[in-house]
Amino acid sequence: MHNDMGVIDLGSNTARLVIYQQDAQGLVYELDNIKRGLRLSSHLQDGRLDPAGWEKTMACMRQFRDILAAHQVSKVIGVATAAVRQAENGGELIKSIEAETGITMRVLSGEEEARYGYLAVMHTMNLSEGITVDIGGGSTELTYFADRKLQHCVSFPFGIVTLTRLFLHQDPPAPGEVTSLRDFLITQFQTCDWLRDKACPVIAIGGTARNLAKMHQRSTGYSLGSLHHYQLSADTVQNILAATLSLPLEERKQLPGLSKDRADVILSGLSVFDTLLTLSGGKELIVSNKGLRDGVLYEAVWGPALPPDATAVRKRSIEQFMQRYRIDKKHAEHVRDLALSLFDQLVDGGILPYSDAERDFLEAAALLHDAGRSINVYEVSEHTFYLLSNVLLWGYTHRQRLLIAMIASYKNNKLLLQQVATHADILSKSDKGTAEKLGMLVQLARSLDRTMMQQIKQVQLEIGEKETLLHCYGTKPSLIEYDLLEETVQKAAKAWKKPVRVFVHSSLTHS
Amino acid sequence: MHNDMGVIDLGSNTARLVIYQQDAQGLVYELDNIKRGLRLSSHLQDGRLDPAGWEKTMACMRQFRDILAAHQVSKVIGVATAAVRQAENGGELIKSIEAETGITMRVLSGEEEARYGYLAVMHTMNLSEGITVDIGGGSTELTYFADRKLQHCVSFPFGIVTLTRLFLHQDPPAPGEVTSLRDFLITQFQTCDWLRDKACPVIAIGGTARNLAKMHQRSTGYSLGSLHHYQLSADTVQNILAATLSLPLEERKQLPGLSKDRADVILSGLSVFDTLLTLSGGKELIVSNKGLRDGVLYEAVWGPALPPDATAVRKRSIEQFMQRYRIDKKHAEHVRDLALSLFDQLVDGGILPYSDAERDFLEAAALLHDAGRSINVYEVSEHTFYLLSNVLLWGYTHRQRLLIAMIASYKNNKLLLQQVATHADILSKSDKGTAEKLGMLVQLARSLDRTMMQQIKQVQLEIGEKETLLHCYGTKPSLIEYDLLEETVQKAAKAWKKPVRVFVHSSLTHS
């Protein structure tokens, strides 16, 4: 029996229905995501939603109701933001929606809207300090958090649609128009003392941010398709803004990565990012593909408490990933234990240097190494790499995710070289060596549990002058694992620069 | 509740345990595949399996029993081939296995062995005439089939291990040794009249064939990782044999694509292929990654009846694929119906030329277009392409499979160009155009069922002089599908070279 849930986000620019499936463990997966560009903020006439906007909204909500009914989704959370909040007749609209579709919509205050953006970031990113900015059609929300705690939040009653209507009339905009827009933004943002000179990352949420990331990825030929956690320097944002400002609308529409229906309003959105980076002294902008509706969902599913730290963020995401791709948990955790035990012993023996980050990557990779099996039992390593590099893992940057993907899928040098070559634009020089060193440990731990039956309970390394002894403590002296160990043990010997001999013990006492 | 099944293949070279899962529809998926190189044919001393070989076999079977028990697999089918068949004490061994592990092994006759190979080919390939050759360690099975029916089969009591021991002693082999081997093979194969001058494809089954394919793929940088249905010309096989014969064992071990533990016996295997191609007049060798154990499995699951034609082979595979990647069947079949209806009407209207093959590709692609959803709802097209190009579809060549993958995942020209560039070594020049033309139909059919609710029941094209009218017959006049149609309809207009206008009908009578 499905336990589906719908989240409706009636925004000032777009209305969106997302259907999630929740499993027995409480983990949620997105099943479908339907959006309609309603542009409600341009239907506000003298503070009221005009009849055309009203009717478009009602038609869209009726369609959403039908979709929810067809999918037999009974639990629906609806939120409405700036356009409805600002419209005098917003309350009537909400009543009318409820009367006609049975869907209860909650009109969020600007501060609530800001807080949900912050919440989405806390649930999916490894950042302890930052400024979030979410630009909608008719409002812009900012927050500042430090030590992962919300310190300030504010909502401004202007967004990309309203700013464009107020300031940018010529095509392309005249320099004076651009200056007026910027001056206006500075004046507005300066009302928030707390934004100034923070020199922390700016996390950009929403469609403008996604389009900015796509434009930059397309222009540089970025080797990953992911938007969440995509980073751009403040200078890059400034350059893209300058280049885009010089183009007339028709040419902007042709820009690779920019949605045609956003080409008119992108300029004001980019100006907001640029101004904010300047005022706050931030050196980089990080795109968050998770925003308001994700924050709303996470709160509904997991309650108001946030993950206390990055480790908790990553852990939940890894768990979700294991569940999603039906990874055999007992096997994965056993491989993780064996790999970490080997790592710790090699560190103690002076063969590997210790690194917190590497140990964390190794743990994640060992837990996820079998993800590719959900695609096929043939070419599992290739499939694992594909899944791990293409599917979001919360709390990791793109480079970290690739590193985990390379470690988890490590099979041989040939495959690793291919991976490194494909993603040379993201990886650092040392990453190949790290992936090889840790990947080999996952591979060895996998062969030690080849049958997925946890027959080899424990391993102990005895690192001598001339050779390393690998003591294996298993359930029986004859295990298929031992018969198949040779190849990986030879690789280990090469990596650890000493011959490795395997000793088989059939009890847990060292004999 | 799982319904798992184990197949054990106790071959002359390798023992293998494969665990399959069978779903409620009777479709089977491989869950795990464990092999051990036992080389039983080299343990035959004076016609008897020697004590070392006996003990290795028993140890391996005990391990297999433990694995089956741990996976709670109760249904096990065991078969043994040449080495056990040829050993005087083979019967005792089988009794001993049964007594100690409870696993019943059936010793296959040479003809049964040959027939299972033919059966695997009939279930997974689109070939109506061919010669199959399956080289094991201690026997070689040949069949000839025409009109998909088995005409002849034979089993020779020599395989790669025995041929190598009999003929190839020097390293690298002396020219005289190679000639003797070839003369021997010619004499042997000439005992089968029915092999001569058939000029049909030779289908090569087993490890030697897989290694040959891998070696060639590595040397040419082949852009797909698939072995099944990989084709090599007779000349290529001859060239690879000549090149490999000139290398000493240690250098053969370094050959990319060749397993180290097969480097000693590969030469005799390649000689068998080459001799057979010459004698039969075959112009190409096609590798089958499905063989004996697959034939045994298919018979157990589906009974003795074979799929009557290639259409049935493809159909079962597509069904299996849909099941495996949890495709919404109602939606997929509706998109298929809409896409085929558009295709047929465009053919009738003289806009598209008719082609049986293209209609078949379109049907498969429409049914499978949503496969990528099983990976993630984001970037579905990319995931669909990945799955369709990397996972076997029975009855299609590599080029055909890629074409289906491109049609199913068609999103825009950018993605298609990437796909075409990656697989330029496999695709023909016209394939991009075909993928675009048919992919657009899948895309249009998808938007017509965007909500997956089959709200638009039927479409009718009215192809006029100046424009094409797209009549949509839906459940209601206001459907989200209509709101989201614009973009795909514009593409269609471009492809069909006339403006397209959408007409909405809310009943099935043309108004």
Side-chain angles (χ1 to χ4, degrees), chain A residues 37 51 217 238 315 338 346 392 509:
Chain A
Q217 292 186 344
Q238 195 171 42
K315 207 176 152 188
L338 292 173
L346 288 165
L392 186 57
T509 39

Side-chain angles (χ1 to χ4, degrees), chain A residues 30-31 33 36 63 66 324-326 373-375 377-378 383 386 414 450 476 479 483, chain B residues 30-31 33 36 63 66 218 324-326 373-375 377-378 383 386 450 476 479-480 483:
Chain A
E30 203 167 312
L31 285 184
N33 185 327
R36 288 208 43 197
Q63 291 166 341
D66 292 346
R324 176 85 176 81
Y325 299 106
R326 290 163 291 166
R373 257 175 208 270
S374 67
I375 292 186
V377 290
Y378 298 108
H383 301 323
Y386 182 81
K414 185 201 152 212
R450 174 61 188 87
K476 286 183 189 180
L479 293 173
D483 300 320
Chain B
E30 202 168 314
L31 286 185
N33 185 326
R36 287 207 44 197
Q63 291 166 342
D66 292 347
R218 289 289 294 272
R324 174 87 175 81
Y325 299 106
R326 290 163 291 166
R373 256 175 209 269
S374 67
I375 292 185
V377 289
Y378 298 108
H383 302 323
Y386 181 81
R450 174 60 188 86
K476 287 184 187 179
L479 293 174
I480 212 159
D483 298 321

Side-chain angles (χ1 to χ4, degrees), chain A residues 200-423:
Chain A
C200 61
V202 167
I203 301 114
I205 299 168
T208 303
R210 281 195 296 273
N211 272 264
L212 169 62
K214 277 190 202 165
M215 285 163 67
H216 191 243
Q217 292 186 344
R218 289 289 294 272
S219 74
T220 59
Y222 196 64
S223 67
L224 268 187
S226 296
L227 299 178
H228 194 61
H229 232 297
Y230 188 67
Q231 291 174 250
L232 300 103
S233 71
D235 288 347
T236 304
V237 175
Q238 195 171 42
N239 294 339
I240 292 176
L241 170 62
T244 319
L245 275 171
S246 67
L247 299 176
L249 178 62
E250 282 311 309
E251 286 182 40
R252 290 204 300 275
K253 280 189 184 169
Q254 306 309 319
L255 279 178
L258 180 58
S259 312
K260 284 200 178 52
D261 61 356
R262 208 174 266 275
D264 54 343
V265 291
I266 189 77
L267 299 174
S268 54
L270 294 180
S271 297
V272 168
F273 293 155
D274 182 49
T275 309
L276 195 58
L277 283 162
T278 309
L279 265 181
S280 70
K283 292 277 173 290
E284 57 176 359
L285 182 130
I286 306 178
V287 174
S288 173
N289 201 6
K290 302 291 171 189
L292 176 72
R293 66 185 164 88
D294 305 282
V296 168
L297 172 80
Y298 302 150
E299 191 181 68
V301 174
W302 294 311
L306 290 178
D309 54 26
T311 307
V313 167
R314 293 171 165 187
K315 207 176 152 188
R316 178 179 278 156
S317 187
I318 289 170
E319 220 165 279
Q320 191 138 348
F321 207 100
M322 290 174 72
Q323 197 71 29
R324 176 85 176 81
Y325 299 106
R326 290 163 291 166
I327 291 176
D328 179 332
K329 214 175 167 186
K330 264 179 150 176
H331 168 63
E333 289 178 348
H334 193 61
V335 168
R336 187 255 328 255
D337 293 343
L338 292 173
L340 289 181
S341 161
L342 287 167
F343 178 82
D344 292 339
Q345 294 182 60
L346 288 165
V347 168
D348 286 346
I351 299 209
L352 291 186
Y354 182 76
S355 147
D356 257 340
E358 290 188 2
R359 199 176 188 277
D360 176 72
F361 297 152
L362 178 63
E363 174 163 14
L367 285 169
L368 301 173
H369 80 270
D370 249 350
R373 257 175 208 270
S374 67
I375 292 186
N376 212 341
V377 290
Y378 298 108
E379 315 283 331
V380 172
S381 296
E382 283 79 353
H383 301 323
T384 294
F385 183 77
Y386 182 81
L387 286 177
L388 285 172
S389 58
N390 283 295
V391 176
L392 186 57
L393 262 190
W394 297 347
Y396 291 102
T397 64
H398 291 189
R399 186 187 139 245
Q400 292 171 335
R401 201 169 86 207
L402 281 177
L403 206 42
I404 292 171
M406 295 193 295
I407 299 167
S409 66
Y410 182 73
K411 190 165 74 173
N412 52 41
N413 208 38
K414 185 201 152 212
L415 185 64
L416 182 61
L417 280 171
Q418 269 176 15
Q419 295 166 345
V420 169
T422 307
H423 298 290

Side-chain angles (χ1 to χ4, degrees), chain B residues 262-395:
Chain B
R262 208 173 266 276
D264 55 343
V265 291
I266 189 77
L267 299 174
S268 53
L270 295 180
S271 297
V272 168
F273 293 155
D274 182 48
T275 310
L276 195 58
L277 282 162
T278 309
L279 266 180
S280 70
K283 292 278 171 288
E284 57 177 357
L285 181 130
I286 306 179
V287 174
S288 172
N289 200 7
K290 303 289 171 192
L292 176 70
R293 66 187 164 86
D294 305 283
V296 168
L297 173 80
Y298 302 151
E299 191 182 68
V301 174
W302 294 310
L306 289 179
D309 53 26
T311 306
V313 167
R314 293 170 166 188
K315 206 175 154 191
R316 179 179 276 157
S317 187
I318 289 170
E319 219 166 280
Q320 192 138 347
F321 208 100
M322 290 174 73
Q323 197 71 28
R324 174 87 175 81
Y325 299 106
R326 290 163 291 166
I327 290 176
D328 179 332
K329 214 174 166 185
K330 264 178 149 176
H331 168 62
E333 289 177 350
H334 193 61
V335 169
R336 186 255 331 254
D337 293 343
L338 292 172
L340 289 181
S341 160
L342 288 167
F343 179 82
D344 293 339
Q345 294 183 59
L346 289 165
V347 168
D348 286 345
I351 300 212
L352 292 187
Y354 182 76
S355 148
D356 257 341
E358 290 188 2
R359 198 175 188 279
D360 176 71
F361 296 152
L362 178 64
E363 174 163 16
L367 285 170
L368 301 174
H369 79 270
D370 248 350
R373 256 175 209 269
S374 67
I375 292 185
N376 211 340
V377 289
Y378 298 108
E379 315 283 334
V380 172
S381 297
E382 283 80 353
H383 302 323
T384 294
F385 183 76
Y386 181 81
L387 286 176
L388 286 172
S389 57
N390 282 294
V391 177
L392 186 58
L393 263 190
W394 297 347

Side-chain angles (χ1 to χ4, degrees), chain B residues 46 140 147 224-225 273 285 294 311 339 374 460 506:
Chain B
D46 303 321
T140 297
D147 289 330
L224 269 188
F273 293 155
L285 181 130
D294 305 283
T311 306
S374 67
Q460 218 177 300
S506 52

Side-chain angles (χ1 to χ4, degrees), chain B residues 222-225 385 389-390 398-399 402 405-406 416-428 431:
Chain B
Y222 195 65
S223 67
L224 269 188
F385 183 76
S389 57
N390 282 294
H398 291 188
R399 187 188 138 243
L402 280 177
M406 294 192 297
L416 182 61
L417 280 171
Q418 268 176 18
Q419 295 166 346
V420 169
T422 307
H423 298 290
D425 56 336
I426 301 175
L427 296 167
S428 320
D431 291 342

